[in-house]
Amino acid sequence: MSGETVATIHWRALDRDGEDKCRLARLDQGWMLVGHARFRDATGWAALDYVIRVGADWCTTSADITGDYGGDAVALRFARGEDGWTVNEALRPDLAGAEDVDLAFTPATNLMPLNRVPEVGRLETTSAWLRFPGPQVTPLTQAYTRERGGLVRYEAQETEFETHLSVDTHGFVTRYPGLWEADV
């Protein structure tokens, strides 16, 4: 992979056996995240690798997810172009307006919207939300609000989920209560 490494992070899952290792690299025209998630859920073991390309504006331009989930091969490619999002080259009009890809199996994809949240204020955004089993891809409306003590309030409209995220200086989540915690 090209690019200068800016940060690396290692998370451990709090709700199951699992971990995720991720690297953020600076590219000429933006950023790239490269990660390796390994975990066990009700379906069995998963080994999923991801590469996410991000523009200078911190909006996702493409994502590749490969590996194995519960014994099934996974090979997904998300791309955002002039006509909107495609998933494995199939146009997805339901994802119109999405600025990012949110991979439900890792906290890594919170990085992009977290880097767009103003120092004081709130960001509302939509992501193409990938979750398993399935895979299922649907829009997810999210809000991020900076609060005191370095916390960011996170809300997901479709699931009515709310929590407070701890975030480092690069925008990586360091504590996602009940789900993930970074090794420090």
Side-chain angles (χ1 to χ4, degrees), residues 64-116:
D64 294 292
I65 301 92
T66 58
D68 181 89
Y69 179 82
D72 293 329
V74 173
L76 294 167
R77 172 144 181 89
F78 290 76
R80 185 169 56 134
E82 291 181 18
D83 295 332
W85 284 95
T86 60
V87 179
N88 288 349
E89 299 184 9
L91 188 60
R92 292 290 304 267
D94 60 319
L95 301 176
E99 296 178 291
D100 298 298
V101 171
D102 184 313
L103 307 179
F105 60 85
T106 177
T109 50
N110 292 103
L111 178 84
M112 287 71 79
L114 283 166
N115 274 290
R116 296 195 309 269

Side-chain angles (χ1 to χ4, degrees), residues 116-124 143-147 151-153:
R116 296 195 309 269
V117 177
E119 284 301 313
V120 175
R122 176 180 173 93
L123 172 76
E124 293 184 7
Y144 295 83
T145 307
R146 288 212 191 270
E147 295 187 350
L151 296 177
V152 175
R153 182 175 179 200

Side-chain angles (χ1 to χ4, degrees), residues 16 20 37 39 48-50 65 103-107 130 132 180:
R16 59 188 162 189
D20 186 6
F39 58 90
L48 298 170
D49 299 320
Y50 53 93
I65 301 92
L103 307 179
F105 60 85
T106 177
L130 170 66
F132 290 94
W180 293 97

Side-chain angles (χ1 to χ4, degrees), residues 23-54:
R23 178 168 88 103
L24 173 64
R26 176 81 168 118
L27 304 176
D28 290 339
Q29 301 298 317
W31 308 90
M32 184 183 301
L33 281 176
V34 178
H36 312 282
R38 308 295 185 255
F39 58 90
R40 183 178 64 191
D41 64 13
T43 306
W45 280 100
L48 298 170
D49 299 320
Y50 53 93
V51 176
I52 302 169
R53 291 157 207 86
V54 181

